[in-house]
Amino acid sequence: MAMKNATGPRARGATRTNGHKKKSTAKAPRFNQALSPDPTSQSGLGRDSLYLQMLNCSDDAFMLLQSQRDNDELVDLVLLEANTSALNLLKRDADDAVGQTVSLLPHALFGPILNCAQWLTPQAPQQNTSVLHERTYLKISLHQLDADCVCVILRNAHKPAVGEQLQEKLARFLEAAPDAVVVADLEGRYLHANAAACELLGYSREEILHKQFSDIIPDIQRRTLLQAKKQMADGAQLTSEWSIQRSDGRVITVEVSGKILKDGHWLGFVRDITRRKNNERELRLAAAVFDNTREAIVVTDAERNVLAVNGAFTTLTGYSEREAKGHILCEYLYRSGKHDEEFYQTLWQRVDADGHWRGEVWSRRKDGEVFPSWQNISAVSDDNGNINHYVLILSDISEKKAAEMKLSYLAHHDALTGLANRIAFNGNLERAIHHAERNSSKVALLYIDLDNFKIVNDTHGHLAGDQLLQITADRLRRCVRGEDAVARMGGDEFTIVLENISSFEDAIGVAEKVIHTMDLPVRLASGEVEVGLSIGISLFPDHAQSLNDVTRTADAAMYAAKKYARNSYQIFNPEQT
């Protein structure tokens, strides 16, 4: 039996100097005594032999060590007993090893053991360490049996230590990997799945191990699966995209890198690329919209240097992408001459402050033509709120502006004569009155009515009457200055607003000129006719102080002229109302 009692002087350790201070040792219990529940009983002695035999049969190395201390400081350990596995590990026989102090045993194991023993205390009676010994990874456990006796157990994993470490690290790495890692047999049955795979598929590990590829891959892809299996059987490593179904029924897109290992197992790394694929689709859609939209789009950097333009921009402005890229935006769009620098500064200040701006801006094409555009400008910011891009969308609104101008013209002008209508007349007279108030000047209103118009209309017909109204409007225009406003109020009534006059004489002069002009024969398609005019004159602020009063007093004066003497004028006086 390999277990041996250290009975010699060295085992007792009573006196041993060898140049050191005298060390105190206490008699240690026998190995079998330390392990026996009752070493004094007769039945316990029988069990001692069984314990010794059991220890010698163990693959683990057991050693019993006695502490040597100097002033309560551990300085060495004496080997009291060792089982067969321990002696084989030490490559010594019992007589040569038992009784020796570990510091004298030329073996690399005792250094880590002695260092670990320093930490044994009644409060921490067990310590663990490990050591690489002859390419074998040994785990060492130290147990404090009493004040001076230590039991050491060395467990041999019987695997190369470096390989075991790598294997353990690899296992931890695969389990903690952010991508799903699965192992399956060649029939597609899952043998292993890491935590990320469980999360990706929505199954527990136990549930996954009861499934196979066909359970999560749609039927339409099974033929592709067979082709991939054949390719990998030839040694190829494949990376491809697949659609798989989660436990909740949701179908996701994954990228799988797979390979058949030498042991015949299939190893796959699976990454969820659903978001990436959705982003790619959105980018393709955005690119299609960018390229095919009818509105011009410009993308700039934070300094407003052009980064990209679409085809519609080239069509609208005449500048190609090559001509525009790298240049400041204002070189192409903001030089129409219709806006001052303050307008553009305010525009970009609003964009930077609010994140967007939209409105009408006059722009210039490559050929120099100026056109009205509707622009929608947005600022694009990064995660920190800093603007890094601008996106400008613009469209030519020339047709829209022309239509608006036409509608505005029709809303404010008489369709037959082209003169201002009653709505425009009110606006013109109101502006003239405000101007006169600010400048302490006068405004005269001439209210005109054609004499005998009904006779012409009834005798020559409505077309002749319309022609007469058009000729009258043309003659009235030639009687006034460019700043004066002529309007048709309806029927055969007209008005003239005279601004910046100083006296009655100015208004009377215009009235006489109008009467003289209309004295001339009027040639109509149906024949020549003669008509006269009745004119009423009212002055602001002499006769009235408001728009309605000026109109009312001029109208009253016109009726007085028609009543007392046709083809003449009358200046308003209160008796006419």
Side-chain angles (χ1 to χ4, degrees), residues 525-559:
S526 59
E528 186 176 292
V529 298
E530 293 183 0
V531 293
L533 296 173
S534 296
I535 304 174
I537 303 173
S538 177
L539 266 67
F540 170 89
D542 301 72
H543 301 139
Q545 283 75 45
S546 68
L547 182 151
N548 290 334
D549 287 345
V550 170
T551 304
R552 179 180 57 80
T553 53
D555 183 63
M558 182 270 292
Y559 276 104

Side-chain angles (χ1 to χ4, degrees), residues 87-297:
L87 295 174
N88 291 336
L89 189 63
L90 298 175
K91 297 181 181 179
R92 292 171 177 263
D93 57 26
D95 292 331
D96 189 30
V98 174
Q100 292 278 4
T101 58
V102 298
S103 60
L104 296 179
L105 288 173
H107 199 281
L109 292 174
F110 291 114
I113 292 174
L114 182 60
N115 290 335
C116 192
Q118 303 279 357
W119 299 97
L120 289 171
T121 64
Q123 292 75 27
Q126 178 179 339
Q127 295 292 330
N128 299 305
T129 187
S130 59
V131 67
L132 181 64
H133 174 64
E134 295 180 353
R135 302 187 64 184
T136 299
Y137 185 71
L138 296 177
K139 297 180 179 179
I140 304 175
S141 298
L142 282 74
H143 302 267
Q144 184 80 54
L145 301 182
D146 62 19
D148 295 305
C149 192
V150 178
C151 174
V152 180
I153 304 172
L154 299 93
R155 183 158 289 124
N156 186 348
H158 296 292
K159 293 182 181 179
V162 174
E164 181 185 67
Q165 288 177 315
L166 291 176
Q167 186 178 22
E168 290 182 354
K169 288 182 179 179
L170 179 60
R172 290 196 300 269
F173 167 76
L174 293 179
E175 182 62 23
D179 291 339
V181 182
V182 293
V183 178
D185 60 22
L186 295 182
E187 300 301 321
R189 291 185 291 265
Y190 289 106
L191 303 176
H192 174 75
N194 69 346
C198 298
E199 182 177 357
L200 177 68
L201 298 175
Y203 294 105
S204 67
R205 203 184 308 267
E206 182 179 355
E207 289 173 326
I208 292 177
L209 298 183
H210 285 83
K211 293 187 177 295
Q212 52 187 358
F213 292 161
S214 59
D215 293 329
I216 65 171
I217 295 178
D219 294 342
I220 194 173
Q221 290 191 317
R222 291 187 182 177
R223 178 175 295 182
T224 306
L225 179 63
L226 294 175
Q227 294 173 350
K229 179 180 177 182
K230 183 178 179 181
Q231 288 179 282
M232 287 189 292
D234 295 335
Q237 177 174 333
L238 294 182
T239 299
S240 54
E241 295 179 4
W242 299 83
S243 295
I244 62 174
Q245 189 173 32
R246 286 173 41 88
S247 63
D248 56 10
R250 184 163 57 93
V251 176
I252 61 175
T253 304
V254 296
E255 183 181 74
V256 181
S257 295
K259 183 178 179 63
I260 294 180
L261 305 177
K262 293 180 180 180
D263 62 2
H265 290 150
W266 179 86
L267 173 65
F269 293 85
V270 186
R271 175 175 296 176
D272 185 354
I273 59 171
T274 305
R275 180 176 296 178
R276 189 187 80 190
K277 297 299 289 186
N278 290 339
N279 290 340
E280 289 175 355
R281 281 192 290 270
E282 290 176 1
L283 287 174
R284 286 195 297 269
L285 178 60
V289 172
F290 183 83
D291 292 333
N292 296 289
T293 183
R294 297 179 61 184
E295 294 182 311
I297 301 176

Side-chain angles (χ1 to χ4, degrees), residues 74-89:
L74 179 66
V75 295
D76 212 337
L77 295 166
V78 177
L79 179 61
L80 299 181
E81 303 218 26
N83 70 345
T84 301
S85 294
L87 295 174
N88 291 336
L89 189 63

